[in-house]
Amino acid sequence: MNEQLILTQEWDKTFPKSDRVNHRKVTFHNRYGITLAADLYEPKDAQGRLPAIAVCGPFGAVKEQAAGLYAQTMAERGFLTVAFDPSYTGESGGSPRYMASPDINTEDFMAAVDFLSVQDNVDPEKIGIIGICGWGGMALNAAALDTRIKATVASTMYDMTRVNANGYFDSENSEEARYEKRKALCAQRIADYKSGTYALGGGVVDPLPEDAPFFVKDYYDYYKTKRGYHPRSLNSNGGWNVTGCQSFLNMPILQYSQEIRSAVLIIHGEKAHSCYFSRDAFAKLTGDNKELMIIPGAVHTDLYDQVDVIPFDKLEAFFKDHLN
């Protein structure tokens, strides 16, 4: 049932390797039969069963970028962590490539929890998740489904269903605009079927237009420079299937987020263009174990890799408080 993946064994991350953790490649499968590739990080000289965290995101990124940085840093702070590539992306399996699905990608998080729950050195009652950017919304969706998840962090969150259905800043939030978008996507499906290939789109524009909005320049600065570039990242080196996000148009992933009983921390940059996603998502949450943290002066990609901006002390305290 499970694919055999060939995984790169060399250290090819966008961040330096820590001498405070042990690292190894692992694989696990989801309920769609797709084998996922992951990096496992554990504190050196750790003993007994540890609290564990699964990390994924941003959308279009791979585990060698922000997710890996978060995972390694949290391992330095005493957690066993995995940073994984979602289905159809990076070193993970799934065909055709460069697809996305609100259902399958939520299942990816739950599959990571399956994997962590059966590790001899993990306490299955102490598992949390971190979703970055587009996977922040997926993380909240997983937390609304999976009662094994005791604590969730959504960092610089994007609601992929909302942005696909309504456009950036809700600028296409009308029935007519959505109809035209659906019409164009369906026309593309016919073209793809005739050609036998899948057209790629999205990703980060290159070359960068002089009049590009500030947030497009922010993405370009991260994904197209040595700072965050990785050849397996869709945003660094191309784009995803044009019709691959079609189902996001009418499948809201935050439908039952108000029923999440476990702890949630949402963090976002004050100057991030996408901050409205986090504020609106937080407004739906209920209970006294939910928190919104706005980072003064931070833009969107600062929370991808700027270790002096990402509130790792806060993340450590949050998980230690709620994975107890």
Side-chain angles (χ1 to χ4, degrees), residues 72-320:
Q72 178 175 263
T73 305
M74 296 309 292
E76 290 178 331
R77 293 166 181 254
F79 302 88
L80 184 144
T81 64
V82 289
F84 65 91
D85 285 331
S87 296
Y88 311 108
T89 304
E91 292 188 301
S92 286
S95 180
R97 303 304 291 168
Y98 316 131
M99 288 288 289
S101 161
D103 187 26
I104 296 175
N105 296 141
T106 298
E107 161 64 20
D108 289 343
F109 259 125
M110 298 175 72
V113 176
D114 294 340
F115 170 79
L116 291 172
S117 296
V118 300
Q119 302 308 303
D120 291 339
N121 56 346
V122 168
D123 186 334
E125 298 300 319
K126 299 180 179 180
I127 294 176
I129 61 175
I130 299 174
I132 306 165
C133 193
W135 257 254
M138 300 296 185
L140 291 178
N141 201 41
L145 283 169
D146 197 329
T147 59
R148 300 169 300 172
I149 297 172
K150 299 302 191 295
T152 300
V153 168
S155 177
T156 197
M157 192 199 91
Y158 247 73
D159 180 343
M160 294 304 299
T161 55
R162 181 173 173 181
V163 76
N164 275 279
N166 297 353
Y168 283 106
F169 306 108
D170 296 330
S171 60
E172 301 169 357
N173 186 17
S174 71
E175 179 180 344
E176 185 62 28
R178 277 186 287 276
Y179 179 81
E180 290 301 322
K181 190 178 299 185
R182 293 175 183 130
K183 186 177 178 181
L185 288 170
C186 289
Q188 185 62 54
R189 291 176 69 100
I190 297 295
D192 289 352
Y193 199 88
K194 287 179 178 179
S195 69
T197 60
Y198 295 99
L200 300 181
V204 176
V205 62
D206 190 17
L208 183 70
E210 291 185 5
D211 60 348
F214 77 93
F215 64 90
V216 174
K217 295 178 180 178
D218 186 27
Y219 286 134
Y220 186 91
D221 178 59
Y222 178 75
Y223 284 111
K224 295 294 186 178
T225 66
K226 291 182 180 179
R227 174 184 163 196
Y229 177 84
H230 196 279
R232 287 194 293 274
S233 166
L234 307 185
N235 293 323
S236 294
N237 194 26
W240 48 86
N241 186 323
V242 169
T243 61
C245 293
Q246 193 167 10
S247 60
F248 283 87
L249 275 163
N250 61 339
M251 292 186 184
I253 56 175
L254 302 182
Q255 186 72 19
Y256 294 103
S257 58
Q258 73 276 9
E259 297 182 7
I260 298 173
R261 297 188 182 183
S262 57
V264 174
L265 169 64
I266 299 177
I267 60 176
H268 220 106
E270 177 190 28
K271 294 185 178 180
H273 68 284
S274 53
C275 198
Y276 66 102
F277 289 125
S278 288
R279 293 185 186 277
D280 290 354
F282 178 73
K284 290 188 64 176
L285 302 177
T286 58
D288 58 7
N289 58 351
K290 312 297 192 292
E291 185 175 353
L292 173 65
M293 183 179 186
I294 304 299
I295 310 300
V299 299
H300 190 83
T301 57
D302 283 345
L303 292 177
Y304 285 5
D305 66 342
Q306 299 301 294
V307 293
D308 57 337
V309 177
I310 302 169
F312 281 119
D313 288 345
K314 175 65 177 180
L315 268 61
E316 177 183 357
F318 170 78
F319 281 115
K320 286 185 175 177

Side-chain angles (χ1 to χ4, degrees), residues 22-35:
N22 294 320
H23 163 265
R24 59 188 170 95
K25 289 288 189 73
V26 297
T27 62
F28 54 91
H29 64 274
N30 67 19
R31 291 300 180 95
Y32 290 92
I34 298 171
T35 301

